[in-house]
Amino acid sequence: MSSLCDSSSRNSRLDVGPPAQVRRRGSLLPLLALDLGICMLVASEFLPASVLPGMAADLGVSEGTAGLAVAATAVAGAVTAPSIAVVLPRADRRLVLLGLLLAATIADLAVALAPGFAVMLVGRLLLGVAIAGYWSFAFGAGIQALPGRERLVSTSLSVGVSVATIIAVPLASIGADRAGWRPVFGVAAALTAVSLVLLALVFPPVPAHPSAGLAMMRSALRNPLLIAGLVFIVVAVFGNFVAYPYIRLAIMRVAPDGSAWLLLAWGLGGLLGNLAAGALAKRLTLATAVAPILLSGSLAVTAYAVGVPMLAVGIVVWGLAFSMMPVTTQLWVARAEREHTESAMSLQVAAFQTAITVGSAVGGAVVDGHGVSAALVLGAAVAVVSGVGFAVLRTPRT
């Protein structure tokens, strides 16, 4: 991310410079620890898409209903993201991040041991709290640990997301086929605990913004450009998550034995998307518009694929397009609201989680009623609206 403001205005954005002990820390190890945490949280969030058939059968629900495991996580996230900074205005952000990773560990264990669908949903709700809070604070904590490296922090966090999809999602699919879906969530709980320990060991204290809380949130909400951008973020993410929880069903329609390698291809496309978004950061209007338009095209190709090569193209471009969006929208939101960055990030997370909630629920109904291809087509139609919207919005000033 290019610098959001010069050194004379950095204090107005975060209101405090990083403490001396953080400024002296030149190592990237704290950022890597932050990335591992987001990697494990996102892996846990998306695991149901990898294990959906087995989870649905074991819990005695339809595949569309089982897809609500993603929506439940997003419901909690949508509520948590805009409120957590208000509830914890003075807490050391390092301690908050550690507490959220602990909550995610407990959540994954609850899902792994769940005797029924209701307990599984409770675990997923707790995971949603952890994900939303971590996303809300990770960017601000990262740029205090590495002052002046905003683009690196944003891209690095998104690479952590791509690593989750490249490694965790396909491995979870293989593991679920061989050992069942419950051990997959048990392993996720163990690895999340490892990320907690690493963050505790290497990440420095991060004091809260001195005016964090309700006043900062109100100020951010009075920015019409920010609100317009958040609306188009919701539209784009809705388009993706109408379809994404059911990606394995889409793959199995054309390539019944190709789930693992095509999910890997989706993740590799996502890594390329992260890098492309970082490279296009200086042309933010182009980047934010192109990502949802590419998403629309890829969903349409996946919906109408008549062979494995066509399906593979759709899946790879799908991963690339969606993974551009967290980077580009985070940069866009941060530039649109430079003086209240933490609150703006919270609102962006809330926008994502709200769209995931509604998209997953609508997608489940469409899949149960009309099949997975119909969900893909709906996602494609919606995503293109976001691309056009970002193309006509005024670009936030650098």
Side-chain angles (χ1 to χ4, degrees):
M1 183 189 308
S2 60
S3 179
L4 303 180
C5 51
D6 60 27
S7 59
S8 65
S9 63
R10 184 173 293 129
N11 285 351
S12 68
R13 178 165 51 86
L14 292 176
D15 281 355
V16 286
Q21 67 187 71
V22 179
R23 287 182 181 276
R24 290 194 300 266
R25 187 181 291 272
S27 171
L28 294 180
L29 192 57
L31 183 57
L32 293 176
L34 202 64
D35 293 344
L36 179 59
I38 201 66
C39 176
M40 290 313 308
L41 289 168
V42 171
S44 297
E45 182 175 21
F46 290 165
L47 281 182
S50 302
V51 303
L52 195 65
M55 174 185 282
D58 188 23
L59 296 174
V61 297
S62 71
E63 290 172 337
T65 300
L68 294 178
V70 176
T73 302
V75 167
V79 174
T80 300
S83 61
I84 190 167
V86 175
V87 174
L88 300 170
R90 300 290 181 265
D92 184 320
R93 292 337 190 194
R94 172 179 174 272
L95 295 178
V96 174
L97 293 172
L98 293 174
L100 293 167
L101 288 175
L102 177 60
T105 302
I106 295 170
D108 283 336
L109 281 174
V111 173
L113 301 173
F117 189 65
V119 174
M120 186 273 289
L121 283 181
V122 171
R124 297 295 294 177
L125 287 169
L126 179 59
L127 180 67
V129 172
I131 292 170
Y134 198 95
W135 263 120
S136 296
F137 293 132
F139 179 73
I143 62 176
Q144 287 207 50
L146 284 88
R149 308 291 297 276
E150 291 91 349
R151 186 167 63 179
L152 172 63
V153 173
S154 180
T155 303
S156 179
L157 287 170
S158 294
V159 167
V161 174
S162 290
V163 169
T165 56
I166 292 169
I167 297 175
V169 173
L171 284 182
S173 179
I174 295 170
D177 288 342
R178 295 186 178 180
W181 66 274
R182 293 180 186 274
V184 168
F185 279 92
V187 171
L191 293 177
T192 304
V194 170
S195 72
L196 186 159
V197 172
L198 180 61
L199 193 74
L201 292 174
V202 304
F203 206 82
V206 179
H209 191 300
S211 61
L214 192 57
M216 181 190 287
M217 183 63 68
R218 284 199 301 263
S219 295
L221 287 169
R222 288 195 292 266
N223 183 336
L225 181 63
L226 174 64
I227 299 304
L230 292 173
V231 169
F232 289 124
I233 289 171
V234 168
V235 172
V237 179
F238 174 91
N240 182 76
F241 279 92
V242 161
Y244 181 75
Y246 315 101
I247 186 172
R248 191 170 180 188
L249 302 180
I251 291 170
M252 291 172 67
R253 182 183 65 84
V254 178
D257 299 323
S259 294
W261 75 265
L262 283 169
L263 287 171
L264 175 62
W266 191 94
L268 290 172
L271 180 59
L272 293 176
N274 292 151
L275 299 176
L280 289 172
K282 293 183 179 179
R283 304 185 66 184
L284 202 51
T285 296
L286 175 65
T288 51
V290 163
I293 290 172
L294 280 177
L295 175 64
S296 176
S298 67
L299 290 174
V301 170
T302 303
Y304 293 110
V306 293
V308 173
M310 185 176 177
L311 177 65
V313 170
I315 292 292
V316 170
V317 178
W318 182 358
L320 182 151
F322 178 69
S323 293
M324 286 181 70
M325 291 198 296
V327 179
T328 57
T329 59
Q330 188 174 64
L331 293 167
W332 196 98
V333 165
R335 291 183 187 177
E337 184 49 80
R338 295 191 303 272
E339 295 185 2
H340 307 99
T341 304
E342 190 175 270
S343 291
M345 291 299 103
S346 297
L347 291 170
Q348 187 217 21
V349 174
F352 261 78
Q353 299 299 333
T354 299
I356 293 170
T357 301
V358 180
S360 299
V362 171
V366 172
V367 167
D368 283 347
H370 304 283
V372 69
S373 293
L376 291 161
V377 171
L378 175 59
V382 171
V384 74
V385 174
S386 175
V388 173
F390 273 116
V392 301
L393 273 183
R394 177 171 59 85
T395 304
R397 290 179 305 226
T398 58

